[in-house]
Amino acid sequence: MFVKIEQKKVFLEILEQIQEQIKAGAWSAGDKLPSERVLSEELGVSRTAVREAIRALEIIGLVRCVQGEGNFLAEDLTRCLMQPLSMMFALSGTGVRQVQQLRHALEVETARLAAVERSEAELLQLEQIVNRMETSKDEQERAELDRQLHYRIAEAARSPMILSILYAASHLIENLIIGIRVSIMTYDSGFAMIDSQHRAILAAIRLKDAKLAARCMDEHMEQVESYLMHLEKANPNN
Amino acid sequence: MFVKIEQKKVFLEILEQIQEQIKAGAWSAGDKLPSERVLSEELGVSRTAVREAIRALEIIGLVRCVQGEGNFLAEDLTRCLMQPLSMMFALSGTGVRQVQQLRHALEVETARLAAVERSEAELLQLEQIVNRMETSKDEQERAELDRQLHYRIAEAARSPMILSILYAASHLIENLIIGIRVSIMTYDSGFAMIDSQHRAILAAIRLKDAKLAARCMDEHMEQVESYLMHLEKANPNN
DNA sequence: GATTGGGCGGTTGACAGACCACTCGCCGCG
DNA sequence: CGCGGCGAGTGGTCTGTCAACCGCCCAATC
């Protein structure tokens, strides 16, 4: 019969055109894009519409807006999901348990991939982190190293998609790690188990044994989840 | 010394206030929020600023805007990441391989969780899908059922965070599934392996054996990845 | 000669006011 | 009772304006 007439919102069309320009390689990371006035003139729309489109891109993290200077394409696309993800998490009342589930899923895979993809330099760095974590006496520093270890593994996995999601959830994960370590101190009075699991993961990555690395990370995550259950039992909120 | 004067953008402040209202429960899913004119007056800012904030919420999928009617809170938060995620994927030139890596990570976890969380009704539905997939002669229908199977498992896992990311990547995953099935037809001339793996996953979920379900899904994903390598070898683009 | 300060052009940020397109519900007319 | 039109309310867009800010140049100053 009749084809539905599609009347997109103007700013969506602008969005598409800008995306196409980026995909076509007209602009690359960090570039300054045309001023809002120029864009509005070239596209034949008002500055308002252009601003809405650019605002949308800013929200997503694709564009950085600097007053008095201009609008720039983001340099680092891997971190660009943070804003929307964290907002969604905040609003949908995501609990620690769900954050841990996501982490479990992603980090098993990063361990698997890192075992294959890691460079020698990355391996060295991972080993340094683990060593420092075992010798340090400052719990705050140890927690920070714990966090770093997981991120360095994720970076060594060379999977930008997974990495960007991990980054997006990063501050949630950080709280998670701290909470878990508190739980461990309370109920277990020691990190021997955690440290040995870190060592096992590292050993598998050193051997480039993907399956083993995945299994070790899986065990680590399960251990973490058991601590989490202690925490939830003692502290049913959240 | 001097404290740096912090001057947030107006629309960000509005964003925060709206978020707080939502968190405080003043509005709930599907509600109509105050009109832009009212909001701008109550907040003491221009309508432009309010619109920018609402636009931001629309982009991440928290708000649905309908001309002539009003702005509404989204009913379903699980699908709200789609826009930014898919845009990012499109722009960062994500390849099939990375999509599969993400899928591998998430779906192993959904299988694990679904084994524990699934209801009887969901189990029944999964079994119907597998049965129909094995008996159907229409490849297009089989591909669709394949897709459905994975999503139904993810839904049964009751992990909104993981589910929403899967949804966000859904159209990429759909292309992936179709591509893989083509590869299988080309190089293997049959789906016996795939079907038996689906059966194995289902059996583990029926037994509520989380570890087994995760392992079966893991094997399934690895199988898929091997087909993917065939595909890449034959077709190095993408 | 180096530094400072101001002026200038260009940019984004915010605003007010207007008009358009659309939706819905009311109300009167047939 | 049904229908059509009208008007109020809403988001969508546009225009014009001003403020805040940045980078640059250049002249005045020390």
Side-chain angles (χ1 to χ4, degrees):
Chain A
M1 204 56 117
F2 290 101
V3 182
K4 190 184 168 192
I5 295 176
E6 206 169 319
Q7 187 157 16
K8 281 185 186 172
K9 295 179 190 174
V10 173
F11 89 95
L12 280 179
E13 285 194 55
I14 301 174
L15 225 54
E16 270 183 28
Q17 289 210 32
I18 292 182
Q19 282 187 62
E20 276 173 30
Q21 291 288 324
I22 298 176
K23 268 193 274 191
W27 308 319
S28 52
D31 278 6
K32 179 172 181 300
L33 30 91
S35 81
E36 297 175 354
R37 285 178 178 81
V38 172
L39 274 179
S40 70
E41 195 171 344
E42 290 190 359
L43 292 166
V45 296
S46 76
R47 208 186 132 205
T48 318
V50 173
R51 283 183 59 79
E52 282 193 349
I54 290 182
R55 181 69 66 236
L57 292 171
E58 191 194 13
I59 292 293
I60 308 177
L62 267 170
V63 164
R64 195 170 39 92
C65 303
V66 185
Q67 181 175 156
E69 200 164 351
N71 299 323
F72 302 84
L73 272 186
E75 310 77 2
D76 181 11
L77 291 210
T78 62
R79 288 170 190 264
C80 83
L81 286 178
M82 290 185 60
Q83 172 83 8
L85 252 187
S86 61
M87 192 178 303
M88 173 203 160
F89 294 163
L91 292 182
S92 56
T94 315
V96 279
R97 188 182 227 118
Q98 286 164 30
V99 177
Q100 175 57 31
Q101 287 169 354
L102 179 64
R103 208 188 144 205
H104 190 149
L106 297 179
E107 297 214 14
V108 168
E109 186 70 7
T110 57
R112 181 204 321 274
L113 293 170
V116 181
E117 302 283 340
R118 97 282 191 300
S119 69
E120 286 303 313
E122 284 165 338
L123 178 63
L124 206 66
Q125 197 184 23
L126 294 178
E127 284 177 342
Q128 284 175 356
I129 292 176
V130 170
N131 285 335
R132 280 163 54 201
M133 191 171 358
E134 286 182 356
T135 56
S136 168
K137 294 282 180 266
D138 177 10
E139 167 54 18
Q140 199 167 351
E141 188 188 356
R142 289 167 57 90
E144 165 63 18
L145 288 168
D146 190 347
R147 194 191 123 271
Q148 270 198 31
L149 176 65
H150 287 275
Y151 281 109
R152 292 293 160 280
I153 291 175
E155 281 162 14
R158 309 209 195 297
S159 180
M161 239 164 150
I162 294 179
L163 187 61
S164 60
I165 296 176
L166 274 176
Y167 276 137
S170 60
H171 70 273
L172 295 171
I173 290 177
E174 277 157 38
N175 290 340
L176 188 62
I177 289 178
I178 293 172
I180 288 162
R181 295 186 70 94
V182 168
S183 168
I184 293 172
M185 281 202 290
T186 314
Y187 298 98
D188 233 16
S189 64
F191 293 101
M193 172 74 89
I194 295 293
D195 284 343
S196 79
Q197 287 178 341
H198 284 160
R199 280 245 167 258
I201 295 168
L202 187 58
I205 292 178
R206 186 184 305 116
L207 291 172
K208 299 208 170 196
D209 185 336
K211 289 202 182 200
L212 183 61
R215 197 164 67 240
C216 288
M217 181 64 88
D218 190 55
E219 280 171 16
H220 183 43
M221 289 289 122
E222 285 195 355
Q223 184 68 32
V224 160
E225 275 149 30
S226 78
Y227 285 122
L228 213 56
M229 282 176 65
H230 283 152
L231 199 63
E232 278 182 351
K233 218 181 296 176
N235 198 10
N237 57 331
N238 255 352
Chain B
M1 204 62 110
F2 289 101
V3 183
K4 190 184 168 191
I5 294 177
E6 202 169 324
Q7 188 160 15
K8 278 187 187 173
K9 293 181 186 173
V10 174
F11 87 96
L12 281 178
E13 285 192 54
I14 302 175
L15 223 54
E16 271 183 27
Q17 289 209 31
I18 293 181
Q19 282 187 59
E20 276 173 29
Q21 290 287 325
I22 297 176
K23 269 194 272 190
W27 309 318
S28 51
D31 279 5
K32 181 172 180 301
L33 9 83
S35 81
E36 296 176 355
R37 290 173 176 83
V38 172
L39 275 179
S40 72
E41 195 171 344
E42 289 189 359
L43 292 166
V45 295
S46 75
R47 213 186 124 199
T48 318
V50 172
R51 283 182 59 78
E52 282 185 346
I54 290 181
R55 180 72 62 237
L57 293 171
E58 192 195 11
I59 289 293
I60 55 182
L62 266 169
V63 163
R64 194 169 40 90
C65 302
V66 186
Q67 180 175 152
E69 204 165 348
N71 298 323
F72 302 85
L73 272 186
E75 312 75 5
D76 182 10
L77 293 208
T78 61
R79 287 171 190 264
C80 81
L81 285 179
M82 291 186 59
Q83 174 81 10
L85 254 186
S86 60
M87 191 175 305
M88 172 202 161
F89 294 162
L91 291 182
S92 55
T94 315
V96 279
R97 191 188 222 112
Q98 285 164 31
V99 178
Q100 175 57 30
Q101 287 169 354
L102 178 64
R103 210 189 143 202
H104 191 149
L106 296 178
E107 296 213 14
V108 169
E109 185 70 8
T110 58
R112 181 205 319 276
L113 293 169
V116 181
E117 301 283 340
R118 98 277 193 302
S119 68
E120 286 302 314
E122 284 164 337
L123 178 62
L124 206 66
Q125 197 184 21
L126 294 179
E127 286 177 340
Q128 283 175 355
I129 292 177
V130 171
N131 285 335
R132 279 163 55 203
M133 194 174 352
E134 286 183 356
T135 56
S136 169
K137 295 283 179 266
D138 176 10
E139 167 55 20
Q140 197 166 354
E141 188 188 357
R142 288 167 58 90
E144 165 62 18
L145 288 166
D146 191 346
R147 194 193 124 270
Q148 269 197 31
L149 176 66
H150 287 275
Y151 280 110
R152 292 291 159 279
I153 291 174
E155 281 162 14
R158 310 209 192 300
S159 182
M161 245 168 146
I162 294 179
L163 187 61
S164 59
I165 296 175
L166 274 175
Y167 275 136
S170 59
H171 69 274
L172 294 172
I173 290 178
E174 277 156 38
N175 290 340
L176 188 62
I177 288 178
I178 292 172
I180 289 163
R181 294 185 71 93
V182 168
S183 169
I184 293 173
M185 281 201 290
T186 314
Y187 298 99
D188 233 15
S189 65
F191 294 103
M193 173 74 90
I194 295 292
D195 285 342
S196 79
Q197 287 178 340
H198 283 161
R199 280 246 166 257
I201 295 168
L202 188 58
I205 292 179
R206 188 186 304 118
L207 292 172
K208 299 206 169 195
D209 186 335
K211 291 203 182 200
L212 184 61
R215 197 164 68 240
C216 290
M217 182 63 89
D218 190 55
E219 282 171 15
H220 182 43
M221 289 289 122
E222 287 196 353
Q223 183 67 34
V224 160
E225 276 150 30
S226 79
Y227 286 120
L228 212 57
M229 284 177 63
H230 283 154
L231 200 63
E232 278 181 352
K233 217 179 297 175
N235 197 11
N237 57 332
N238 255 346

